Amino acid sequence: MIALVDYGAGNLTSVRKALAAIAADVYVPATPADLSHASGVIVPGVGHFSATRALDAAWRDAIIARLGEGRPLLGICVGMQWLFEGSAEAPDCPGLGLLAGSCFRLTGGTYRQPHDRADATGVLKVPHVGWNALRMTRDAAIVDGVASGSQVYFTHSYAAPVTGDTVAAAEHAEPFASIVQRGQVSGVQFHPEKSGEVGLRILRNFIEIAR
Amino acid sequence: MLSKRIIACLDVRNGQVVKGINFEGLRSAGDPAELARRYNRELIDELVILDVTATLESRRALADTIRAVAQELFIPLAVGGGIRTEADAAAAIEAGADKVSLNTAAIASPPLITTLASRYGSQAVIVAIDAKRSGDHYAVYVRSGSTAAERDAVDWAREAEARGAGEILLTSIDRDGTKAGFECEMTAAVSRAVSIPVIASGGAGGLDHFVDVFTAGAADAALAASIFHYAETSVHALKAHLRAHGIPVRL
């Protein structure tokens, strides 16, 4: 059974529907102690990094204890950012610190449009919303069967740095980590539950890892 | 590179897809779940389900439509039309919508934008603006384009962003249903005034209209309904055309 941690950040409906579509057994733990029988743990998230404050010491300890017992952990969007040391979005709110580095605000920028129409300068806005390509930097079980260049759906303003833990990067005026993995810890900046077949494949890969 | 999004709008009434010309004279075009499946096969980037009548009876059918579509499609799904309260938004999100689109209600009660953004995140809140050219500016209309809101579209888009909106869905009333092309000047004016994405709507009639709105119109996404519904243009053919013109798309 996969534990889907509900800490009140946004709604879990979409993630639950996607997990149901790939026939994953999922439960929402009511207390940290309920993680003790999780075959894998998913920390979703949308919105502001400070929402992760609801994941207090008891939740952190239970998640880390389950990892220590060899069970995998997947962070989605803000849930992935939380795996790092922290985020500029909420500097007084520490992350779990399993991955080195801190999340930063995307700066956006401009690009040259293919046409010399009314305005040849295109704008790369922040938030970064929409479908963007994964650029694979190394192999990992979480991306089994996913081709470099596959597009996935993002919606965020803050991002994690590209480090040795990065499996796939993405570009939005600057590179950032879009998939990370270190040991049994994985994270995706985009929304696999909203990224069509590619997203479902990544969720399936996690379910396999948690078997 | 971030792709320009192509969004299909399913205008529904009592669980059936319809499409009007200038918001009037609706004609039926099919089952929403079946259309959604077809769009998904053609690699549509996102779907909007718009309840065009928003009566109490229609809203019950709407929840069923959302559930039917969200059950099998795993791409972003937005819902609009008749969302007036936090409870209306909660019902749509509960049924499987990722985003709700506020139009008349946002003008009537701007704090609703902030309430929903705080509860679900800004990414879940679209403010829809229906506007038409009025002299040297763009005037906002509400109640399906029937009532002047006495607001300027650029100012209102800025305010909506400041209140927590995550995207703007901008419809040209002048162009809606005409197939004469998107209102690029208005789209560019709004898009350059805000940092959140702007979805252009109203007037799509041919492939080059989309090229125009993504370049001259500075749109981040474009929405269309009838051009896809009646299979005049497949989503795939449109994206291939955009790519051939150097516009980044998901194909």
Side-chain angles (χ1 to χ4, degrees):
Chain A
M1 290 275 275
I2 301 290
L4 182 60
V5 179
D6 183 4
Y7 56 101
N11 86 100
L12 300 184
T13 312
S14 292
V15 180
R16 295 189 79 135
K17 281 181 192 263
L19 290 168
I22 59 168
D25 285 327
V26 177
Y27 72 103
V28 175
T31 69
D34 293 341
L35 288 182
S36 64
H37 61 284
S39 58
V41 178
I42 296 179
V43 179
V46 291
H48 203 275
F49 191 83
S50 61
T52 61
R53 215 187 293 276
L55 294 165
D56 59 14
W59 280 106
R60 289 164 175 257
D61 291 349
I63 289 169
I64 287 169
R66 207 61 195 127
L67 260 179
E69 289 158 356
R71 302 322 306 175
L73 169 65
L74 175 68
I76 297 175
C77 195
V78 172
M80 164 182 147
Q81 296 176 5
W82 182 66
L83 303 174
F84 286 79
E85 292 162 31
S87 172
E89 190 173 20
D92 59 338
C93 183
L96 198 54
L98 295 174
L99 303 178
S102 217
C103 299
F104 59 94
R105 187 174 166 89
L106 293 169
T107 53
T110 58
Y111 67 98
R112 181 93 191 149
Q113 293 218 73
H115 290 272
D116 289 331
R117 293 200 177 217
D119 187 337
T121 305
V123 177
L124 296 170
K125 293 177 173 179
V126 176
H128 173 229
V129 179
W131 297 79
N132 204 334
L134 298 172
R135 180 169 51 78
M136 299 298 178
T137 53
R138 66 174 167 84
D139 206 15
I142 193 73
V143 291
D144 183 43
V146 178
S148 197
S150 297
Q151 295 202 19
V152 290
Y153 186 79
F154 292 87
T155 177
H156 61 122
S157 296
Y158 290 79
V162 175
T163 68
D165 296 326
T166 303
V167 171
E171 312 275 337
H172 187 62
E174 60 202 312
F176 62 88
S178 58
I179 305 179
V180 294
Q181 177 265 329
R182 182 184 184 87
Q184 288 287 72
V185 179
S186 303
V188 292
Q189 176 59 66
F190 54 90
H191 287 275
E193 74 278 16
K194 288 287 130 190
S195 295
E197 287 304 317
V198 175
L200 293 182
R201 177 66 194 237
I202 288 167
L203 289 175
R204 249 186 231 114
N205 288 343
F206 179 73
I207 302 307
E208 278 304 311
I209 294 167
R211 225 173 262 285
Chain B
M1 182 83 176
L2 180 62
S3 291
K4 297 291 189 181
R5 280 175 286 158
I6 301 297
I7 302 174
C9 183
L10 280 58
D11 292 353
V12 301
R13 179 173 59 181
N14 298 326
Q16 283 293 304
V17 178
V18 293
K19 175 63 191 172
I21 307 290
N22 289 336
F23 290 142
E24 287 162 19
L26 307 171
R27 56 173 171 154
S28 186
D31 168 42
E34 190 187 317
L35 257 180
R37 268 194 295 275
R38 194 188 99 200
Y39 289 149
N40 191 47
R41 278 197 302 274
E42 294 180 359
L43 286 183
I44 197 76
D45 296 314
E46 190 161 336
L47 290 170
V48 175
I49 295 175
L50 190 68
D51 183 0
V52 294
T53 51
T55 58
L56 201 60
E57 188 187 12
S58 184
R59 194 166 310 153
R60 281 193 206 98
L62 180 67
D64 291 338
T65 302
I66 297 168
R67 263 189 288 275
V69 172
Q71 202 67 41
E72 50 177 314
L73 296 191
F74 301 97
I75 57 174
L77 174 63
V79 171
I83 293 180
R84 297 193 176 88
T85 64
E86 188 178 351
D88 293 339
I93 286 171
E94 193 79 7
D98 301 294
K99 313 176 183 185
V100 291
S101 175
L102 304 173
N103 192 330
T104 305
I107 287 276
S109 173
L112 180 61
I113 301 169
T114 313
T115 301
L116 294 177
S118 305
R119 181 163 169 188
Y120 296 110
S122 283
Q123 88 295 331
V125 184
I126 299 172
V127 168
I129 301 177
D130 296 344
K132 60 171 125 179
R133 191 184 284 269
S134 170
D136 60 352
H137 81 296
Y138 302 99
V140 178
Y141 282 72
V142 292
R143 301 186 179 282
S144 303
S146 67
T147 309
E150 310 297 340
R151 291 293 309 252
D152 172 74
V154 172
D155 288 347
W156 173 227
R158 280 205 189 97
E159 181 182 336
E161 177 181 26
R163 287 182 182 272
E167 293 182 72
I168 300 291
L169 168 54
L170 181 67
T171 300
S172 164
I173 296 170
D174 297 321
R175 300 295 177 90
D176 193 63
T178 65
K179 305 198 175 202
F182 293 97
E183 165 57 285
C184 289
E185 271 183 49
M186 175 172 84
T187 307
V190 172
S191 186
R192 297 216 165 90
V194 296
S195 69
I196 52 177
V198 171
I199 305 162
S201 160
L207 301 183
D208 282 330
H209 292 155
F210 289 86
V211 176
D212 293 340
V213 83
F214 286 134
T215 53
D220 301 286
L223 176 141
S226 54
I227 189 172
F228 301 136
H229 288 355
Y230 301 106
E232 292 161 24
T233 302
S234 77
V235 176
H236 200 273
L238 169 59
K239 287 187 168 187
H241 184 80
L242 292 172
R243 176 170 281 180
H245 285 74
I247 294 166
V249 291
R250 165 180 169 252
L251 252 187

